[in-house]
Every structure is written in structure tokens, then in C-alpha cells.
Amino acid sequence: MRNVITWLQSIEKGYEPRNYAYEADAVPIGHYDALLECKVWAKKVSAVCCYFKEGSTGKRFQLTVYNNGGTGYFLKDCPVDFTKCPVGVMYHIRVSLSAKGLSKFEFAKLA
């Protein structure tokens, strides 16, 4: 069952999505564990905005997972369906910088 919520629902549940950085210089780069706190449908594109808190620093940030050609919301070579995966649990994730200098969400699995 899908468990992605709307922006308004996230506010009603006590999350504040504006407090999660999304700029490349604010998103940690590398492999690390992070708690997936909330998932919200993107407003302007077919995507799921994932709101994480890094395990070791508590830093909050947002990563986006786009619809993969109509087959679902998956990262390349990653089995996690971001419309159904659990929230409130730790994931081991990998983030890099794209050629354009943007943060690129590459991989996730339950930690």
C-alpha cells in the first residue's frame, strides 16, 4: 500500500518540510545511514520527495525519487519502491554530485 502523503498532511502530522535542505551543498555526499522521516508527493513533477535525517549528525535534508518511466518510483538498480517503503526506519543511502553539481540520490536499502 502506498504511504506517501501530501504537503498539507505532512504539516498536520508535525513535519516541517521547509526545514529539510535540498541544495547540493547542504545534502551530505557519500554512503551513510539516514532515517526516512516522511515522504511527500512532489507538486510539479511525478516524484516522491523523501525527507531524511542523517544518523550521525542529525542533519535534515530532502532527496527526490522520480517516476522511473511509468514503472514506479525506484532508483536505478535499487529494489526500494519509494511509494511503499516504510518511514521511521533507517536506510543506508548513497548520494553523489551530478555533472551539473546537483545532489544525486543513487541507492538506498534498509539499514
Side-chain angles (χ1 to χ4, degrees):
M1 176 190 304
R2 289 186 171 193
N3 62 353
V4 184
I5 59 178
T6 66
W7 179 273
L8 183 58
Q9 288 170 325
S10 72
I11 301 296
E12 290 170 350
K13 290 183 179 220
Y15 298 104
E16 183 51 67
R18 291 179 210 129
N19 291 339
Y20 293 76
Y22 61 88
E23 302 88 358
D25 61 341
V27 175
I29 302 300
H31 297 260
Y32 49 89
D33 290 336
L35 177 69
L36 179 57
E37 295 190 304
C38 181
K39 299 182 295 185
V40 174
W41 290 112
K43 291 181 182 181
K44 298 181 181 180
V45 294
S46 184
V48 175
C49 300
C50 299
Y51 296 90
F52 286 99
K53 181 168 74 171
E54 187 178 11
S56 63
T57 66
K59 186 175 193 174
R60 288 190 161 97
F61 56 94
Q62 173 192 328
L63 295 168
T64 304
V65 178
Y66 297 92
N67 190 311
N68 190 0
T71 61
Y73 296 83
F74 297 90
L75 300 170
K76 184 179 180 180
D77 300 323
C78 177
V80 177
D81 178 345
F82 284 91
T83 63
K84 299 176 183 176
C85 68
V87 294
V89 297
M90 296 293 281
Y91 287 82
H92 185 72
I93 65 175
R94 182 174 68 231
V95 179
S96 67
L97 282 178
S98 72
K100 294 181 180 182
L102 303 173
S103 54
K104 182 178 178 183
F105 192 10
E106 293 186 327
F107 186 79
K109 69 176 183 176
L110 286 169

